[in-house]
Amino acid sequence: IITANVNVGTKDIIAGPPQMIAQNIDVTLFIGDAVTNTIFSNTTLSLKGVGTNENKAFIDALKTINPKNKEILAFLEEGKTKIINYYSTNCDYIIKDAQTLVKQQKYDEAIYQLALVPEVCQKCYFECLDTLSSIYQEKIDADCKVKFNQAKAAWASSQNQNGAEKVGEILNTINPLASCQSDI
């Protein structure tokens, strides 16, 4: 995520018709991972704004942010570099954590964790894609076994038209790529 923390430093009232308010604010920008609370980059911008009330002064200050500001560009580049470095150096850990989740039958969490790796980290991204596809296959195979057993139990409990319809509904929810298709 890219987020900001805004702190109002000083607030001055400028006399005269109309009365104006001047505010000095510090905006601290962060690039980070909201899930792991990892901060990759941050920078603070000191801004000034003037308006007829506090809100207008605040908005005026924020309008002075120039996205082409050298500080902001350096902040973004540093964040990008650190994100790439983070995924490049932690790739083995990410894959190992996903494989551990699979052993706990937490397939969706493992897939989610691997899917977070950005494409710009090419080597890690491709390794995660390969691992992700094998985990997905394990997930649909495990799901197939559970549903196939449910279908067997449903047929065993009522071997009639209603039972057959119930079995058909269960079997229709099985992914066609599951390895138990021949059993079905």
Side-chain angles (χ1 to χ4, degrees):
I1 62 167
I2 297 177
T3 189
N5 184 17
V6 179
N7 292 315
V8 177
T10 60
K11 179 173 38 174
D12 299 317
I13 298 174
I14 302 170
Q19 180 177 318
M20 302 292 275
I21 295 179
Q23 288 187 358
N24 292 322
I25 63 172
D26 290 329
V27 178
T28 305
L29 302 171
F30 298 96
I31 294 176
D33 184 338
V35 176
T36 62
N37 291 325
T38 304
I39 295 174
F40 296 112
S41 179
N42 65 8
T43 189
T44 301
L45 305 172
S46 296
L47 309 171
K48 296 178 183 182
V50 178
T52 54
N53 60 40
E54 289 180 31
N55 288 338
K56 289 184 179 179
F58 186 79
I59 291 168
D60 185 58
L62 292 178
K63 283 182 181 179
T64 64
I65 296 175
N66 180 359
K68 294 184 182 187
N69 177 325
K70 288 180 183 177
E71 283 182 58
I72 294 175
L73 294 175
F75 154 75
L76 292 172
E77 193 58 39
E78 177 188 6
K80 179 181 165 184
T81 303
K82 285 188 177 180
I83 289 169
I84 292 169
N85 186 41
Y86 172 82
Y87 282 106
S88 297
T89 58
N90 291 305
C91 191
D92 293 338
Y93 296 111
I94 293 167
I95 292 171
K96 190 67 175 170
D97 285 347
Q99 291 169 338
T100 301
L101 289 168
V102 167
K103 289 177 184 173
Q104 299 168 5
Q105 296 183 343
K106 296 179 180 178
Y107 301 105
D108 291 334
E109 288 180 48
I111 290 169
Y112 175 75
Q113 196 172 62
L114 293 171
L116 289 177
V117 176
E119 292 176 19
V120 293
C121 308
Q122 269 189 338
K123 183 177 180 249
C124 184
Y125 178 75
F126 290 132
E127 287 178 37
C128 287
L129 276 183
D130 291 341
T131 306
L132 194 143
S133 62
S134 67
I135 289 173
Y136 181 73
Q137 187 63 48
E138 284 183 53
K139 174 189 160 95
I140 63 174
D141 290 347
D143 185 56
C144 182
K145 287 177 187 174
V146 169
K147 289 180 179 176
F148 187 62
N149 287 335
Q150 288 174 347
K152 280 182 175 177
W155 182 245
S157 67
S158 73
Q159 295 183 359
N160 57 32
Q161 183 176 348
N162 289 339
E165 288 175 5
K166 187 173 182 180
V167 168
E169 288 174 14
I170 294 170
L171 294 178
N172 279 336
T173 63
I174 295 175
N175 189 310
L177 299 176
S179 62
C180 69
Q181 280 296 323
S182 59
D183 296 335
I184 293 170

